[in-house]
Amino acid sequence: MAISPRSDATFSSQKSTPSESPRTKKFPLTEEEIFYMNCRAAYLTVFKSSLENIISKDQLYLALQHAGRNPSQKTINKYWTPQTAKLNFDDFCIILRKEKPTSKAELLKSFKQLDVNDDGCILHTDLYKFLTKRGEKMTREEVNAIINLTDVNADGKFDYIKFCKLYMTANEQCLKTTLEKLEVDSKMRRHQFGNHIEGSPERDPSPVPKPSPKIIRKTDQETFSNKGDTRSSLLSATRKFKTSVSFTITMGANGNRNSKLTEPNLIKAGMQVGSWLTATSASQPCPVNLWHCPRGSISTSKNSSIFEFPKWHKWCLLPVYQDWQYMQSKGCFFLEEDGEIISHQYRMQIAQRSMVYLTIKPLNLSQVEGKPSPWLSVDTALYILKENESQANLQLVCFTELRNREVFGWTGELGPGIYWLIPSTTGCRLRKKINPVTDEAQLVYRDETGKLFLTKEFKSTLSDIFEVIDLDGNGLLSLEEYNFFELRTSGEKCDEDAWAVCRDNFDTKRNELTRQGFMDLNLMEANDREGDPCDLWVTLHSMGYNKALELTEACPFVIDIYAEKCKPKIKAVHMEACSGQLEKAICKSVLSKGDAKVMDGYENIIVHTYSCDTWITSVIENKSDEKVIIHINNELSKNCVNNRGLNIFAVEVGPKSTMVCQHVMPLNERQEWIYYCIYSLIS
């Protein structure tokens, strides 16, 4: 098993990177991403959030120092003029682009000019004279603070070589500590800073990050920086809303609604008898084309529409799909540390024009009796895109908008060809948990002879993981299925040679790994580490499990496909972020089906809102040649939760583009929920 623990990366004041995860090793951060990561690290050493503003010269000076700069008073005055009231994070990033980091060589060169004896030290008397009388004068208290540093002062001398080393080390350590905090603090990582957002592991390798939403806190809802030119952007000015539109949608309780999703009648072409079931009456109506047989035998009665059960006779009717061809595949939504969601994606082939019935729903795994599984309430959807000539040219056909309890589906006619199935979830319910679990479950134990075993709880969890990664549901893991698991947990693939070794050492059938073989593979991993469960926990966390072995940050799902005229083929081909093609598909579906409102006086800015029984999605369309900032206020909504986790925020929409603004769902489906949202254009 190619499971590797996360490793620490090297940090420096110029080029620091966050600690790598299996999903980021494959796609190194670009220089632009490293720059923004370091900007936020420096900013968060001074402020609790990137949404806070710099409100004084002292704060600006301190933040620049933490960013590895050594600003003079002249530099500070250049960016903080008498007209400046505040600077935000974007302004801070612009300053850092202009003011390059102070290198150790530059510091040494400055001090060396004061070293009259050329011995690496400066007399305290000379230091006082130079620092309080020349250039940008320091106070005696400020100079005393330097002289009182015991590590770099002795015998009336200041060791500036040690000081420079200490200064650079302190900067690097401060940056490293904050970057590490960002890496583990999911809430902090979910903040989207200015125009930048961390790229996903499967992102376009282009060095220019794509524009992303900009979150602004409530107290700043009318204060933004003008990014038109550098000078004016640094002098933040109070802005007002140009225009606003609002949407009010009242939704009833979903718990008692009638089903909108119905299975085509011809799918259930027959029934066969299965396990015992007590009949509730002397006679029982049954579907047309009933397969009627005593337990253990099969005979048919094709012409009866009603079968008379003997009183108290025990029968169980199971569907037999005769006329419609059936295929199934499983998959999973995984929640990343930064709140991004990734999932499997599929190619489907339809050989001839046919009626098709598609459904997606959460996969029901083994459960503790009386304890509901959190992922079963996660919303799921499937977007179907037609491949025209190439994978890059995909056309939205439909999505599963009809619902029957936890099942979402679509019925319609599809022509022959290749289709892409892209699963989606809004992120309203699949999200980071606020209260982490502190008690850690036991994964392995030793018997009295010292032999290592997997605990019952861990074996049950591994069995569930096996169910999730066994995509075709045949009870075995192929190399392709196993490699989706490997990419998720270690970022690496298992090649044919390694698979052959696995086949020789663990239980397999038809060149596929059995459930027992998968268990033994994990036991070997524990034995290789002499019982240390560290690597096993990396696997579990990657698969969405917490320390109590609860599946809280993933949602396994199952896709069912029925075709009337031909056998559909489905194959998982990718596991990547729910963005890109999915974002385009959602925008197209909302623009075609949703209600549109034009910003008064700004006909090129349109807000589209689509609502179904389960969720509401809004998309902002910007037809103008300029980027726009839209302020969103959900404070008056009731019994609602959105995928951003904020009631008030703002998004930046690029010119000639559309973007998904937010998804909203009810907190409690059994109660009425009211969506009331105000969209305001910022001047």
Side-chain angles (χ1 to χ4, degrees), residues 256-374:
N256 298 320
R257 292 192 179 188
N258 294 325
S259 167
K260 286 189 174 182
L261 175 65
T262 56
E263 189 177 80
N265 291 331
L266 293 179
I267 284 184
K268 289 187 177 179
M271 307 293 287
Q272 74 179 24
V273 175
S275 57
W276 300 104
L277 184 69
T278 301
T280 57
S281 63
S283 63
Q284 194 103 1
C286 297
V288 177
N289 298 330
L290 176 72
W291 286 59
H292 165 224
C293 60
R295 183 175 176 84
S297 65
I298 297 179
S299 61
T300 62
S301 174
K302 300 231 174 200
N303 298 320
S304 73
S305 59
I306 299 290
F307 173 72
E308 297 293 326
F309 277 102
K311 191 171 184 179
W312 308 117
H313 202 98
K314 298 178 179 179
W315 301 92
C316 178
L317 301 180
L318 302 176
V320 176
Y321 303 103
Q322 291 181 308
D323 296 336
W324 289 55
Q325 301 293 313
Y326 169 68
M327 285 294 291
Q328 182 186 85
S329 184
K330 290 180 281 188
C332 194
F333 296 111
F334 295 105
L335 187 61
E336 296 283 64
E337 287 296 326
D338 59 0
E340 188 173 40
I341 297 173
I342 71 170
S343 78
H344 296 80
Q345 297 184 5
Y346 308 82
R347 289 180 82 226
M348 178 180 70
Q349 183 177 1
I350 301 293
Q352 66 183 92
R353 182 170 296 278
S354 174
M355 286 295 294
V356 175
Y357 176 59
L358 289 145
T359 65
I360 182 173
K361 65 179 179 180
L363 178 64
N364 196 359
L365 298 172
S366 59
Q367 325 246 330
V368 177
E369 188 174 352
K371 187 176 182 181
S373 299

Side-chain angles (χ1 to χ4, degrees), residues 203-232:
R203 66 185 181 277
D204 185 340
S206 168
V208 181
K210 70 177 184 178
S212 63
K214 174 182 176 183
I215 298 176
I216 294 124
R217 65 176 181 172
K218 180 179 177 181
T219 54
D220 293 334
Q221 59 183 280
E222 293 188 4
T223 308
F224 296 85
S225 293
N226 178 2
K227 306 297 187 300
D229 63 270
T230 303
R231 187 169 185 274
S232 62

